[in-house]
Amino acid sequence: EIVMTQSPLSLPVTPGEPASISCRSSQSLLHTNGYKYLDWYLQKPGQSPQLLIYSGSSRASGVPDRFSGTGSGTDFTLRISRVEAEDVGVYYCMQGLQTPYTFGQGTKLEIK
Amino acid sequence: QVQLQESGPGLVKSSEILSLTCTVFGGPMGTYYWTWLRQSPGKGLEWIGYVWYTGSTNYNPSLRGRVAILLDTSKNEVALKLRSVTAADTAVYYCARSEWGYAFDPWGPGTLVIVSS
């Protein structure tokens, strides 16, 4: 199965500052059809995960444009242009290229 | 908008069957993939498997044939059955919808299941 590795695991950020989370996969997530099978989820405290980004860079419905996803192959990045207090929680990447779908360990974003 | 709600026993005895139901509110079940996932402190988020609207299924091999996911469109429900449970199956169980198999949206709030000896 594909192994997903995130860094950092903990990310303290000052409100208004940018933040960046890295996700690396053990094999390329770029399909021959051109799609990148990489999702990003945010799990806010006490809630279930919510989809932020799919196909590497497409924002899910209702997700603010301060969230962006980039990357290709085995290296992907989630960027928050200006962190807000409501962005705290644990961020997960997940590969959807092949089953079993697998998640990264999670990155906990906290406000300084 | 569609909302999902998991339900079922919060406590299951070791070696017995864990049975959960996901009820879909606010829309038809359509042509989606209906997925079960779980989250435990020790193993993080884990994909259990899905059932497609056709009834075809795909399961995580790690569950070694113990799992079944069933669709009942007449009741707007998706069932999860996991047999021969052990303490390692203690987790919060989530159901989620997907258009393509991945990109789960939305998720239910989750339900905690504890396996006791």
Side-chain angles (χ1 to χ4, degrees):
Chain A
E1 68 181 42
I2 297 175
V3 177
M4 307 297 290
T5 305
Q6 290 181 230
S7 63
L9 300 185
S10 178
L11 184 58
V13 184
T14 300
E17 293 296 304
S20 178
I21 300 170
S22 174
C23 176
R24 183 165 292 177
S25 56
S26 60
Q27 66 186 73
S28 176
L29 302 184
L30 179 61
H31 194 276
T32 53
N33 62 14
Y35 282 95
K36 306 163 195 176
Y37 287 76
L38 189 283
D39 301 337
W40 287 98
Y41 296 88
L42 165 60
Q43 186 170 29
K44 295 183 177 181
Q47 297 184 17
S48 54
Q50 61 187 84
L51 180 66
L52 293 176
I53 302 285
Y54 63 94
S55 298
S57 59
S58 298
R59 272 188 304 275
S61 176
V63 174
D65 61 7
R66 65 178 182 275
F67 291 93
S68 63
T70 60
S72 187
T74 61
D75 289 293
F76 295 87
T77 301
L78 175 70
R79 290 189 174 89
I80 310 172
S81 59
R82 293 173 305 280
V83 171
E84 298 186 4
E86 65 180 25
D87 300 335
V88 298
V90 182
Y91 291 78
Y92 296 94
C93 61
M94 189 205 83
Q95 65 82 16
L97 179 68
Q98 66 184 49
T99 59
Y101 302 137
T102 47
F103 290 84
Q105 321 96 297
T107 295
K108 186 173 185 178
L109 186 148
E110 59 182 26
I111 298 295
K112 280 183 180 176
Chain B
Q1 67 187 38
V2 170
Q3 292 184 312
L4 311 181
Q5 180 67 56
E6 304 89 350
S7 60
L11 191 62
V12 180
K13 290 184 179 178
S14 183
S15 80
E16 296 191 345
I17 297 176
L18 180 161
S19 291
L20 297 176
T21 299
C22 173
T23 305
V24 180
F25 297 98
M29 299 197 76
T31 58
Y32 295 100
Y33 293 82
W34 299 94
T35 297
W36 284 94
L37 307 102
R38 66 183 182 180
Q39 186 173 33
S40 60
K43 293 192 70 176
L45 280 164
E46 181 180 25
W47 176 81
I48 296 172
Y50 65 61
V51 59
W52 201 23
Y53 78 102
T54 59
S56 66
T57 55
N58 192 330
Y59 302 128
N60 194 322
S62 70
L63 295 168
R64 297 187 298 274
R66 297 189 294 129
V67 63
I69 298 176
L70 307 156
L71 191 62
D72 188 339
T73 55
S74 67
K75 294 181 179 179
N76 266 32
E77 292 179 351
V78 186
L80 170 69
K81 297 193 183 296
L82 183 65
R83 65 175 187 270
S84 304
V85 296
T86 69
D89 295 310
T90 292
V92 176
Y93 285 77
Y94 299 100
C95 62
R97 188 187 73 172
S98 166
E99 279 193 65
W100 311 292
Y102 62 102
F104 310 125
D105 183 37
W107 296 54
T111 187
L112 173 63
V113 179
I114 297 173
V115 177
S116 69
S117 54

